[in-house]
Amino acid sequence: MNSFISLSYCESSLVKPFSVGSGRYQVPRQDPNLRPSLFPTNQWKARFPGAASRGGWRAKMVGPVRPRFVFFGSSIVEFSFDDGGWGAGLANLYARRADMVLRGYGGWNSRQALRVVKEIFPVDNPIKPALAIVYFGGNDAMIPFPGSPHVPYCEFLDNMTQIALHIKGISETTRCLFLSVPPVNSEQLHEISPGLEKLRPMENCEKYSEGTINICKQLGIKYIDLFNAIQRRPDWKNFFTDGVHFNPKGSEAVEEEILKVLKEAEWVPSLHWQSMPKEYEDIHPIRFNSAKVLLD
């Protein structure tokens, strides 16, 4: 009987190996000696406990090496790469300029993020991210109840400070951009299920948003005040799929706010897409005189 590694959504973790048994996804267990290494020498061999692809092999870096943007956060980040999401929009703009790496974990809070931040951003990895876009806090800000992801405010501040310090410290060339807690549409939450709006009070969203901003100011990190930036738009209550997560219209607003910061940041080199070189720009595609000829 073949042995399998379980990739169960609820049980999988970057800090422990996947358990053996049935799960949502399964891949054959393989001899570690048969897996291609991420790096040519043991000195730089990457260690990702429990990280296996659905094909069972560790991904090998392909070249040329582009600047890497890492998106780290809860469902606001995870869902950003859905069709019409702000992450997908950025990936489209930065095609042939930077590689986008999604590390989004729906339902997570800052406590869980702190547990894995050193695995997401290992200090000994020779390839450092050019930009880290980080978002946590919406789940922390929920009211406490049995099974709630709520994290007390003081602990949230401590968690986010440690996360920020770690990411900022992995490289002098790694830039950070933190997103604060956005508002919610309480009316839409109430329409979905009366009483649901009480689990995510706006005053908590504002408080945890301000906490994130204060941390960024103290540490000299770029940030976006999503709580106020979203509400400055007259139709902001139409920005959500469920009162919490952004629809394409809301994602467009988030994308605009991110690009504004990247354009105005005095980083050298600039990380705005219009300032970054396009890969193989000197190799021109074949041109035909006839407009009827299309190449994929």
Side-chain angles (χ1 to χ4, degrees):
M1 181 180 294
N2 291 333
S3 179
F4 289 92
I5 300 174
S6 169
L7 299 188
S8 169
Y9 175 80
C10 296
E11 296 179 359
S12 64
S13 170
L14 286 173
V15 296
K16 68 175 182 178
F18 295 114
S19 59
V20 176
S22 62
R24 183 177 176 185
Y25 300 107
Q26 295 178 339
V27 295
R29 184 186 295 281
Q30 295 174 341
D31 186 338
N33 295 323
L34 297 179
R35 299 172 183 156
S37 174
L38 280 167
F39 303 100
T41 64
N42 289 331
Q43 179 182 4
W44 294 114
K45 187 175 182 180
R47 296 181 61 215
F48 298 97
S53 71
R54 293 185 183 181
W57 297 93
R58 299 179 189 272
K60 208 172 186 180
M61 173 59 68
V62 296
V65 177
R66 301 170 179 169
R68 180 181 296 180
F69 291 6
V70 181
F71 299 71
F72 181 40
S74 56
S75 55
I76 294 289
V77 169
E78 181 178 356
F79 300 162
S80 73
F81 277 75
D82 288 350
D83 187 22
W86 56 269
L90 290 173
N92 181 57
L93 277 180
Y94 281 87
R96 295 175 62 177
R97 291 179 169 87
D99 286 335
M100 307 292 160
V101 180
L102 175 61
R103 294 295 181 267
Y105 306 93
W108 278 29
N109 56 28
S110 63
R111 187 182 297 156
Q112 294 162 314
L114 182 60
R115 288 177 54 190
V116 304
V117 67
K118 293 181 181 179
E119 298 288 341
I120 304 294
F121 300 95
V123 294
D124 58 349
N125 192 330
I127 302 177
K128 309 296 185 183
L131 176 66
I133 298 179
V134 181
Y135 166 77
F136 287 99
N139 294 321
D140 302 66
M142 293 181 68
I143 65 170
F145 59 87
S148 168
H150 169 76
V151 172
Y153 184 66
C154 290
E155 182 188 348
F156 168 74
L157 295 180
D158 183 62
N159 292 343
M160 294 301 289
T161 299
Q162 292 187 61
I163 291 170
L165 286 173
H166 175 76
I167 299 175
K168 186 179 179 182
I170 60 176
S171 169
E172 293 182 357
T173 59
T174 296
R175 312 301 184 183
C176 299
L177 175 57
F178 276 55
L179 310 180
S180 80
V181 180
V184 296
N185 185 340
S186 300
E187 297 173 2
Q188 191 174 5
L189 288 171
H190 181 80
E191 291 175 1
I192 293 173
S193 179
L196 189 60
E197 73 281 1
K198 297 178 181 179
L199 302 181
R200 294 180 179 271
M202 281 283 278
E203 55 268 26
N204 280 19
C205 294
E206 183 176 20
K207 179 179 180 180
Y208 281 66
S209 173
E210 291 176 350
T212 300
I213 293 170
N214 289 335
I215 291 170
C216 291
K217 288 180 177 179
Q218 293 172 11
L219 300 180
I221 291 175
K222 297 291 184 183
Y223 65 88
I224 295 175
D225 179 3
L226 280 184
F227 186 82
N228 289 302
I230 295 297
Q231 292 186 84
R232 279 195 291 267
R233 301 185 181 234
D235 56 345
W236 72 271
K237 289 191 175 181
N238 298 320
F239 283 6
F240 306 95
T241 60
D242 53 8
V244 175
H245 302 100
F246 293 112
N247 59 22
K249 193 171 185 178
S251 287
E252 183 179 352
V254 175
E255 182 181 341
E256 288 176 1
E257 294 293 334
I258 291 174
L259 290 173
K260 179 181 178 181
V261 172
L262 296 182
K263 187 173 184 177
E264 295 176 353
E266 297 179 354
W267 291 334
V268 179
S270 171
L271 296 181
H272 188 263
W273 70 278
Q274 291 178 323
S275 301
M276 298 178 69
K278 192 173 184 180
E279 190 173 279
Y280 295 133
E281 193 169 13
D282 58 327
I283 301 179
H284 303 290
I286 299 173
R287 301 293 183 185
F288 293 89
N289 292 329
S290 173
K292 297 181 179 179
V293 178
L294 298 177
L295 298 179
D296 64 8

